[in-house]
Amino acid sequence: MGVAEGRDLKAVFGTNDRGVAATEAFTNRQAQWEAFAAALTEHLRQVAAPGFDPQDLEAPRRNLLVFHGIGGIGKTTLSRTIEAALATDDRPAQWARPAWSGPRPLPVRIDLARSAGTDFERLVLTIRLALTATGRALPAFDLALRRYWDANHPGEPLEDFLRRGGLSARFGQVFPEQVQSVLADVAQALMLPGTVGAAVGQVTGALTRALREHRQSVRALAGCARLADLLEAEPTVDALSYYPHLLAYEVAQLPARAAVTPVVLLDTFEDTGDRTHRDLERLIQRVVWLMPNVFFVVTGRNRLQWADTALAGQLDWTGPVAWPGLADNAGARGRQVLIGDLAPEDCQDLLARRLTTGGRPLIDRGIREVITARSHGLPLYLDLAVMRFLELRRTGRTPQPADFDHDFPALIARTLRDLTGPERHVLRAVSLLDAFDIDLATQAAGLDRQGPAVRLAERPFVGEDALALWPYHLHGLVRSSIRQADDATDDSWTPDDWHAAAQRAFTALGQQWHTAPGDRRLLVGCLRQGLHLARDHRLPPGWLTDAAWAYVDDSVWEPLAPSPGPDPTRTTTDTDAAAAAGVEVGVESGLVTPADAVVELLSALARRQHEHRERTADRLAAVTATGLLPPELADMAVYYLAKAQRDLGRNEDSRRNMAAVVAGGGRRAAAARRGLVHLARAAGDFPTALEAAQHLGWEGRQQRVVGDLWWPQGDMARAADAYKGARTEAEQHAVTGEAAIAQSMRALVLAFADPDSAVGELDLAEQLLRGHHQRATAFTIRIAGLVRDAGAVGSGIDDRARLLRTKVTDAGLAGSQTLRDLELAVCFHYAVIGNRNDLQAAISRLHGLTAGGGYAYYTDIAHFMAGHRLPEQPASRARWLDGQRTTRTRWQALVAARRDGT
């Protein structure tokens, strides 16, 4: 990585400490240099090709490269650095020397910023003056220019204008002398009397007649086919815009020793106008088109739209045929290059070099890391942070990392500068959203037309991902600044404006979800954004309640929790807001509004696949205790709290909460009845559990529950059929998460009975689970794999079981069925191979897992496998469906069959 450096005068004048060295660092941008070098190389090859004609007005143009990006991304610095690299070969270290062949590049950089005061006349003059470096007069252009100047600036000598505008100082005094020499030479060739200076009109008139008559005296200019036409035209600014055609001709006529390839760098192109006023842009486009042997590099905020046929009439040459490199489908040869954010390491490097003292970075690492994280890679933010660092030092205190958790209003001004009023309105609205489409942006802004949203989406600070649910998103720093920095603009929003926009966006998300309620991807996307809006802006839950049920019913559990972020509408404390709404605040939980509680509930449910069950139970208990949840969702919270308690072995707590849900008769009543069946099964009361299971129906997952009751009896065929039915029902209802659960259990029971058929069942289970966040189901599939391989030599059962045991315990499932199933699988393996010692150790572990009274029958099954008598203390309390003897026989038969098979 290399850095080009210059004096940073703003920083130099920001401190009295002369020991501080301030340098303006240029970091990386290697990809942009490579794009430029490749494009210029191709241009040189095209100009040198046989048949290339600079006077061809119809061939497509490929003499243009565009670098675009958001304000403050470093476009001007890139333009200046390219100019320096071409002029002096002073390149950043990481920029490789290009292998160009042909005439040397001659750079000329023109700043089109309004503050630079560049008009069209000055642009044309700058290009011509840069060509004085060739040491050659350019008679065709110089005659036309002198005629134009005398007509439009009477009494103002051209040399005086150049001197006042600083162009003479930049390019020297050679140009006026070259113009006078041209006039004298042409006058002499035409044998005109008198002084040249007073006879410009006479000279050009005589020259036009001579060209029309094909006189030999002007044969040096006769090759410029359109010179006579331009000399006859009225010398207006419009005519001036065609004069670069003469320059293109002259550049092509330069002898080899003076030949150059002009590279014109047009910076701050966004200041040439807007979508309505394209007068200056039209003139500049004419220059680019009429000089095909000159390479142009445009840097600006926006992509050039010249390949858009809709601009026909506003610009002279439009469409992808005219500008193949500017079209959206230009592919690898595209000439519109987005300047992206700096990588974190480049930000760190730039900050370390920007301010130094004694050769060491003045800004310490901790502060640099905070600035880098906040900058999102935007160089302008780094510049502003450096100035804040110096400002804090001037106050007499040492800057701390916390001082840079800061947004800058200047970023808002830079972002809003060239947006129309409606575009600014849409920008603020979509800053509330992680991602958006045109319709969502329009509705959030409360507009009745999509035009402003369409135009905003084309801005460089709006990223696009065509494959995303919503294709557009704001640059992270722009979004942060719009929402959080002090907005002093004339059309800034009040807190009520922000709240109204949040409500509109929230409503629009709900409407989008209702258009396709079965679309899981849309559901999750709307929930993520809706939860964020409802929480941060204290909105009523509304459609979130139904969406939450849809999310839970599929048992997929994608992460949902929105990222934390300040709310620009909040003007009171959370406690004040809650009190005003008549809500009793849960101080310990930090939950204030119903939306807060909904966010916490769904976050806890999604995270239960990644957190210890103890943590899940604590979160659900806390959110339930606040009383903030809507009644239907309170029912959901209690149900999943009961499930977490069951996994933790707190069966009495679980039974109490399940019963409360059943008594409430809500949407989770059927599932709670299933939970009570599971608790009866945990107690070993299989007949009671089976009787209760017959009334569960699909909502209570009856088929899966029946399977759960039959496989402990050793009746694997009946259990497998029940699980197959459960999977089929789930697929019919399009509940893929439930289908994965049922299939994982079917694979487990068939792994006991028929390991060969279990292979395909395991593959199907893994396929159904793909894309779902269900840890317990994933563990069940791995346990089924252990059962399938039980008794096989070299199967590594011990090591695999040990690793899985650790993972299950770390997940907080030590009290769940999962760990008991794992230990039972290990017992099965030891029973098959006849390893009595390890079998007894595994049975002891099972006993420890069931010592609390739940699922004690697992140790009974382990004894059945080994052919052991049940211990008298503690006595087994299991009530088997077909009696203990039959159950024992079935399990012994499974072990014997596996021994015979291996």
Side-chain angles (χ1 to χ4, degrees):
M1 185 188 313
V3 176
E5 297 179 349
R7 298 302 296 169
D8 182 0
L9 295 180
K10 184 164 58 176
V12 167
F13 284 87
T15 177
N16 291 329
D17 188 350
R18 300 300 296 159
V20 175
T23 58
E24 189 174 50
F26 176 77
T27 304
N28 209 335
R29 299 306 183 199
Q30 183 174 351
Q32 284 76 30
W33 170 253
E34 292 172 352
F36 166 77
L40 181 55
T41 299
E42 183 178 344
H43 172 76
L44 291 168
R45 186 164 49 247
Q46 179 184 356
V47 171
F52 176 80
D53 181 4
Q55 298 189 80
D56 184 350
L57 299 180
E58 298 180 357
R61 294 306 195 246
R62 295 182 173 84
N63 61 325
L64 176 65
L65 178 65
V66 179
F67 290 114
H68 63 101
I70 69 175
I73 199 66
K75 301 180 295 294
T76 294
T77 303
L78 176 65
S79 179
R80 288 173 175 164
T81 308
I82 291 176
E83 178 191 27
L86 296 177
T88 64
D89 201 30
D90 181 18
R91 305 182 316 279
Q94 74 271 29
W95 284 12
R97 179 188 297 275
W100 288 320
S101 60
R104 64 184 175 88
L106 176 66
V108 51
R109 184 176 172 277
I110 303 173
D111 189 352
L112 299 173
R114 296 185 184 96
S115 58
T118 301
D119 58 11
F120 186 68
E121 279 186 356
R122 186 179 178 90
L123 183 148
V124 174
L125 284 171
T126 301
I127 296 175
R128 170 60 185 93
L129 289 169
L131 291 170
T132 59
T134 64
R136 308 284 295 191
L138 308 176
F141 177 85
D142 291 348
L143 282 172
L145 178 65
R146 183 60 184 264
R147 177 170 176 264
Y148 167 86
W149 194 265
D150 285 356
N152 289 275
H153 297 269
E156 181 182 14
L158 180 57
E159 47 269 33
D160 289 351
F161 174 84
L162 298 178
R163 185 169 54 254
R164 286 197 308 274
L167 293 176
S168 292
R170 180 178 176 186
F171 296 104
Q173 302 286 338
V174 177
F175 176 57
E177 297 173 4
Q178 288 181 343
V179 174
Q180 287 299 109
S181 175
V182 166
L183 286 171
D185 291 346
V186 174
Q188 182 178 359
L190 296 173
M191 295 181 291
L192 296 176
T195 60
V196 174
V200 174
Q202 182 182 3
V203 171
T204 55
L207 175 60
T208 301
R209 290 191 297 273
L211 290 170
R212 296 294 191 197
E213 296 168 2
H214 303 289
R215 297 180 196 172
Q216 287 296 315
S217 59
V218 292
R219 63 181 182 275
L221 294 173
C224 188
R226 297 173 180 83
L227 175 58
D229 299 293
L230 290 172
L231 293 178
E232 287 178 332
E234 183 179 353
T236 62
V237 171
D238 192 64
L240 176 65
S241 69
Y242 289 98
Y243 292 179
H245 173 74
L246 305 176
L247 273 181
Y249 169 78
E250 300 281 22
V251 169
Q253 303 307 307
L254 292 172
R257 64 179 180 277
V260 295
T261 297
V263 178
V264 179
L265 300 113
L266 302 174
D267 191 27
T268 325
F269 199 83
E270 67 271 11
D271 277 7
T272 59
D274 54 36
R275 298 170 185 272
T276 304
H277 303 94
R278 295 183 182 268
D279 296 337
L280 179 55
E281 183 179 3
R282 183 178 67 255
L283 298 177
I284 294 175
Q285 190 206 54
R286 197 171 289 165
V287 172
V288 177
W289 184 272
L290 295 175
M291 303 185 76
N293 52 346
V294 174
F295 192 69
F296 290 84
V297 179
V298 166
T299 46
R301 293 191 179 192
N302 308 309
R303 292 170 57 92
L304 283 188
Q305 297 177 299
W306 296 357
D308 186 352
T309 54
L311 295 183
Q314 297 186 66
L315 302 175
D316 294 346
W317 292 274
T318 59
V321 174
W323 305 97
L326 302 185
D328 289 338
N329 59 355
R333 298 187 66 184
R335 294 295 179 82
Q336 305 242 41
V337 180
L338 176 66
I339 301 182
D341 303 325
L342 293 177
E345 57 270 22
D346 292 332
C347 295
Q348 288 271 6
D349 186 69
L350 187 149
L351 291 169
R353 296 170 180 265
R354 191 63 176 277
L355 298 175
T356 58
T357 178
R360 299 176 62 82
L362 183 62
I363 304 175
D364 67 40
R365 176 176 293 276
I367 295 177
R368 296 201 305 268
E369 289 176 350
V370 172
I371 295 174
T372 295
R374 292 282 292 173
S375 74
H376 291 267
L378 188 68
L380 175 60
Y381 186 93
L382 304 179
D383 292 342
L384 294 171
V386 168
M387 298 312 298
R388 177 171 174 78
F389 181 90
L390 293 174
E391 179 184 349
L392 291 171
R393 290 180 83 242
R394 285 199 300 272
T395 67
R397 68 183 183 86
T398 302
Q400 300 298 319
D403 294 324
F404 296 88
D405 186 12
H406 183 77
D407 288 289
F408 296 101
L411 288 168
I412 298 180
R414 288 287 293 268
T415 303
L416 300 181
R417 186 178 65 184
D418 57 345
L419 300 183
T420 65
E423 287 172 357
R424 293 195 294 272
H425 191 69
V426 176
L427 173 63
R428 288 189 172 94
V430 298
S431 72
L432 296 167
L433 297 165
D434 297 328
F436 60 93
D437 57 19
I438 298 301
D439 186 56
L440 185 56
T442 302
Q443 292 187 61
L447 299 179
D448 58 1
R449 63 193 189 281
Q450 291 187 338
V454 171
R455 292 192 294 273
L456 183 76
E458 296 172 355
R459 298 291 183 175
F461 50 76
V462 178
E464 182 176 5
D465 180 358
L467 299 179
L469 180 61
W470 294 286
Y472 304 111
H473 60 275
L474 289 182
H475 183 279
L477 185 57
V478 170
R479 183 184 181 203
S480 171
S481 299
I482 291 294
R483 294 186 62 196
Q484 300 174 29
D486 293 332
D487 188 347
T489 56
D490 292 339
D491 58 353
S492 61
W493 279 7
T494 67
D496 285 346
D497 293 331
W498 282 106
H499 186 83
Q503 182 64 69
R504 290 194 299 266
F506 179 78
T507 300
L509 286 167
Q511 291 172 348
Q512 283 202 7
W513 171 59
H514 281 117
T515 62
D519 186 333
R520 181 74 185 184
R521 185 166 174 245
L522 179 62
L523 165 67
V524 172
C526 289
L527 271 174
R528 285 175 179 160
Q529 298 218 73
L531 288 168
H532 184 109
L533 289 166
R535 179 198 65 188
D536 287 357
H537 300 272
R538 302 189 297 278
L539 305 177
W543 60 268
L544 287 178
T545 298
D546 288 338
W549 280 109
Y551 169 78
V552 167
D553 286 344
D554 281 349
S555 300
V556 180
W557 312 118
E558 301 93 332
L560 281 182
S563 57
D567 168 16
T569 72
R570 288 190 175 178
T571 57
T572 61
T573 65
D574 286 344
T575 303
D576 291 341
V583 173
E584 182 177 351
V585 180
V587 177
E588 292 184 0
S589 67
L591 305 179
V592 177
T593 68
D596 290 334
V598 174
V599 169
E600 174 62 9
L601 168 62
L602 293 184
S603 172
L605 295 183
R607 287 295 302 168
R608 64 195 278 266
Q609 305 299 324
H610 309 279
E611 292 180 338
H612 196 283
R613 281 294 191 269
E614 189 76 46
R615 168 67 174 153
T616 301
D618 289 346
R619 293 180 69 180
L620 291 174
V623 74
T624 301
T626 65
L628 293 170
L629 286 169
E632 286 192 358
L633 295 185
D635 197 48
M636 178 191 294
V638 174
Y639 169 74
Y640 280 100
L641 171 59
K643 287 193 67 175
Q645 290 167 335
R646 187 184 68 202
D647 289 341
L648 292 167
R650 302 173 188 170
N651 291 342
E652 287 306 315
D653 290 339
S654 178
R655 182 178 291 105
R656 183 178 61 255
N657 283 320
M658 288 291 185
V661 175
V662 170
R667 294 175 63 167
R668 268 292 174 265
R673 282 194 291 271
R674 182 179 77 238
L676 292 174
V677 171
H678 283 314
L679 289 169
R681 176 167 63 94
D685 189 356
F686 293 109
T688 299
L690 184 60
E691 170 61 25
Q694 306 308 314
H695 308 289
L696 293 177
W698 153 248
E699 290 187 353
R701 306 299 190 259
Q702 177 175 322
Q703 293 273 45
R704 175 156 64 89
V705 172
V706 169
D708 290 344
L709 294 173
W710 277 112
W711 82 261
Q713 319 301 313
D715 195 337
M716 301 307 179
R718 189 177 294 185
D721 288 344
Y723 287 131
K724 182 177 180 180
R727 185 197 69 206
T728 302
E729 280 188 333
E731 291 171 336
Q732 290 171 346
H733 287 82
V735 183
T736 55
E738 174 63 23
I741 296 172
Q743 179 59 30
S744 70
M745 290 303 300
R746 175 174 166 82
L748 175 63
V749 299
L750 287 178
F752 279 110
D754 185 357
D756 292 335
S757 69
V759 174
E761 302 294 339
L762 281 167
D763 289 342
L764 177 57
E766 290 178 345
Q767 179 181 338
L768 291 172
L769 184 63
R770 193 169 297 128
H772 294 62
H773 299 267
Q774 298 176 182
R775 277 190 306 179
T777 304
F779 289 148
T780 298
I781 292 173
R782 295 182 65 177
I783 293 168
L786 293 178
V787 175
R788 177 199 59 197
D789 297 337
V793 177
S795 58
I797 297 288
D798 289 344
D799 292 338
R800 290 161 60 189
R802 188 179 303 110
L803 177 61
L804 190 54
R805 189 180 295 117
T806 300
K807 290 181 177 293
V808 172
T809 302
D810 290 345
L813 298 175
S816 70
Q817 178 179 332
T818 302
L819 194 54
R820 289 187 291 271
D821 289 347
L822 171 59
E823 296 300 349
L824 193 65
V826 173
C827 288
F828 184 67
H829 170 67
Y830 291 141
V832 170
I833 65 175
N835 187 331
R836 299 179 62 87
N837 291 334
D838 286 340
L839 174 59
Q840 189 56 51
I843 291 176
S844 296
R845 287 195 297 272
L846 259 180
H847 178 69
L849 292 172
T850 59
Y855 300 95
Y857 60 84
Y858 268 77
T859 56
D860 294 359
I861 294 174
H863 282 86
F864 296 161
M865 289 178 181
H868 296 171
R869 295 180 57 185
L870 294 179
E872 294 183 2
Q873 295 295 332
S876 174
R877 299 176 182 176
R879 297 176 59 212
W880 304 100
L881 293 175
D882 295 320
Q884 185 186 116
R885 183 183 298 276
T886 301
T887 304
R888 175 187 289 273
T889 300
R890 286 173 182 156
W891 282 106
Q892 286 180 328
L894 290 171
V895 172
R898 181 63 60 90
R899 285 176 180 165
D900 293 342
T902 56

